[in-house]
Amino acid sequence: MKVNLGTGAQNSHDWDRVLAGDFSTPPATPDYKCVQAALALGDLAEPLGFDGIWFPEHQGTPYGMTPNPIQALTYFAARTERVSLGTFVAVAPWWHPVRLAHQIAYLDIVSNGRYTTIGLGRGVSKSEFDAVGVPREESRQRFNETLDVLKLAFSGERFSYDGEIFKFPEMSLRPEPLSTDLFDRIYSSSSTPESLEILARRGMVPLFVGNKPIWDAGEEVKKVNTFRAEEGLPPCQPKNVMFMYCVASEDDVPKTEEWIYTANRDVTVHYGFADASNFKGVKGYEAYANREGSATALLAESVQGDGTGGPKPGDKKGPPGYHASNLLIGTPEEIFKRLKAAQEACSFSEVTIVPQFGTMPYEDAMESVRLFAAEVLPAVHDMEAPLHPAVLPEGVTA
C-alpha cells in the first residue's frame, strides 16, 4: 500500500493571542518559521521512501496556513523526482474554476504527471469564506459547477459554460495538461450525507481526512458504493488521511495528550464548531447547525481512557476532537496494528500520514517520521489494501 506524507504550517501556540484579540504584538513564533518547518518536513518524504507529498488549503488563522496548496506542491515538484503530489484538500469554492483548471494543468506539466490525487472540498470556516469574499451559501453550487468545468476543461476539447454562478464563452485550456486522465484523479471530501450522495452519484471517490470514526467511514464507503451501483458505476476505495506520532517507547506516548488537546482546540476554533450559530440559516450547512458544534469535518468525538489500545464503537466518549481511530500514536508495532485495522474497517487504497498537529514541535515530528520510515513504512508497503466485502452493497462483488 502507498503511504504519503502530509504537512501544513501550524502556529498553534499563537491561538491564545488570537482568541484574546490582542494584535498589538506579533506572534511569538513568526509564521514564516512555521512554514519553513512544514517545508522541511516535506523534504523528508522522497529520501525516506514515502510515495507522495500532500498539502491542505487554509489561510487567515494560525491553523494550516497553506493559502495555495498547488503552489506548495509546485515547490516540491522542482525539489523531487519520484514522489506523487496530492491535496487534502483544495477548497473549490474559493477558486474560479477556469483558474483552478489552469493551475492543475500547469502543475501536471511541471511535475511530469505526478499530481495524482486532486483532493477537492467544499470548505467550512466562515472566516475563510469571508476573507476571500465568497458567500458560504453558494459553496455547494460553486463546488458542483467547478466539477462541471473541470470535466469540460480536462476533456481536451474547446469548451464553454453557462451556470448559475459561472459563465464564460468558448475557450481552450492553455497550456493543455500533460495527462489525459486528470478528472479521474479528483477525490472529494464531504462531511454531510447530502454532499456524500451528490458526489457519489457523480462518480467522485471519497477522501477522508480524520473526520469521523473509522468504522463510520467504512459505512460511508458502503453507501458510496451503493449509490455508484445505482448509477452503473463499479465499487471504489477511498483514500484516507490519518494523524501519526511514532515513538520508540510507550513511555513517550503521554506527552502527545497536550498536542492532541491543542489540535482539537485549533480545529474547533478555526472552523467555529463550538458555536452552532456559525452555521444556522446558512444554506448547505444545515447538518452542521443541527450538530450544535459537535463532531464534523476534521472534528469527531474523541474516545477516552483506552491509551494506545484500539477504540471500538460504544467506547466512552469525551469532548470533541480527532477521533482516536484516526490517530496512529505509539510504537511502530502499535502503529502498524492500528493502520491495518483501519484499512480493514474502511478499505482505503492509500493512506497519507500527518505527523505534526497542535503544539507538537516540528523537531519531534521529524524524529517521528524518521522512525516511522525505518520501522513501519516497509511493512505498510508490503501490506495489501483490498476492497473488503463489508463496504460493498448487497449482491455486489469486488
Side-chain angles (χ1 to χ4, degrees), residues 6 28 54 80 82 85-86 93 119 125 131 177 221 228 250 259 338 350:
W54 287 26
T80 58
R82 174 187 57 81
L85 307 169
S125 171
V221 177
R228 289 175 64 91
E250 292 289 350
W259 303 338
R338 283 175 169 247
E350 190 172 318

Side-chain angles (χ1 to χ4, degrees), residues 95-102 142 144-155 157-173:
W95 293 77
H96 189 286
V98 173
R99 183 72 170 163
L100 179 59
H102 278 100
R142 284 175 176 263
N144 290 335
E145 291 191 18
T146 295
L147 291 177
D148 291 341
V149 173
L150 293 180
K151 188 170 186 177
L152 292 169
F154 298 149
S155 69
E157 306 291 336
R158 286 182 62 80
F159 63 98
S160 61
Y161 192 73
D162 186 15
E164 291 182 19
I165 295 175
F166 300 108
K167 303 175 188 292
F168 46 84
E170 186 175 282
M171 62 168 294
S172 297
L173 189 64

Side-chain angles (χ1 to χ4, degrees), residues 72-95:
L73 293 175
T74 303
Y75 170 84
F76 278 104
R79 295 172 69 83
T80 58
E81 296 179 355
R82 174 187 57 81
V83 290
S84 63
L85 307 169
T87 43
F88 68 113
V89 293
V91 183
W94 301 342
W95 293 77

Side-chain angles (χ1 to χ4, degrees), residues 22-241:
D22 180 10
F23 300 103
S24 61
T25 59
T29 300
D31 287 347
Y32 77 85
K33 289 191 175 182
C34 301
V35 172
Q36 290 174 343
L39 297 177
L41 193 56
D43 274 334
L44 296 178
E46 187 157 280
L48 290 181
F50 286 89
D51 298 286
I53 299 172
W54 287 26
F55 272 87
E57 179 172 6
H58 290 295
Q59 68 274 316
T61 79
Y63 178 76
M65 296 194 306
T66 310
N68 184 344
I70 297 175
Q71 179 186 38
L73 293 175
T74 303
Y75 170 84
F76 278 104
R79 295 172 69 83
T80 58
E81 296 179 355
R82 174 187 57 81
V83 290
S84 63
L85 307 169
T87 43
F88 68 113
V89 293
V91 183
W94 301 342
W95 293 77
H96 189 286
V98 173
R99 183 72 170 163
L100 179 59
H102 278 100
Q103 293 268 325
I104 292 170
Y106 203 83
L107 176 55
D108 179 56
I109 294 168
V110 300
S111 69
N112 198 28
R114 289 188 284 142
Y115 187 12
T116 56
T117 302
I118 305 171
L120 299 180
R122 184 161 66 98
V124 176
S125 171
K126 180 180 184 300
S127 66
E128 291 186 288
F129 274 91
D130 289 348
V132 296
V134 173
R136 268 192 307 169
E137 56 269 22
E138 294 181 0
S139 67
R140 184 168 284 161
Q141 184 66 24
R142 284 175 176 263
F143 190 32
N144 290 335
E145 291 191 18
T146 295
L147 291 177
D148 291 341
V149 173
L150 293 180
K151 188 170 186 177
L152 292 169
F154 298 149
S155 69
E157 306 291 336
R158 286 182 62 80
F159 63 98
S160 61
Y161 192 73
D162 186 15
E164 291 182 19
I165 295 175
F166 300 108
K167 303 175 188 292
F168 46 84
E170 186 175 282
M171 62 168 294
S172 297
L173 189 64
R174 303 295 298 271
E176 295 180 351
L178 170 70
S179 305
T180 59
D181 64 342
L182 288 181
F183 191 77
D184 295 332
R185 301 181 185 185
I186 296 177
Y187 286 72
S188 61
S189 177
S190 59
S191 296
T192 66
E194 296 82 3
S195 292
L196 186 78
E197 179 172 359
I198 291 169
L199 294 171
R201 293 192 183 279
R202 293 195 60 149
M204 298 292 102
V205 179
L207 174 62
F208 295 119
V209 189
N211 56 340
K212 52 183 65 67
I214 200 70
W215 46 84
D216 287 355
E219 287 298 315
E220 289 199 357
V221 177
K222 184 173 183 177
K223 290 178 182 178
V224 166
N225 283 329
T226 299
F227 297 139
R228 289 175 64 91
E230 293 171 357
E231 300 295 328
L233 299 170
C236 69
Q237 291 180 262
K239 295 186 180 184
N240 277 45
V241 176

Side-chain angles (χ1 to χ4, degrees), residues 222 225-226 229 389-397:
K222 184 173 183 177
N225 283 329
T226 299
V391 300
L392 296 173
E394 300 297 328
V396 175
T397 57

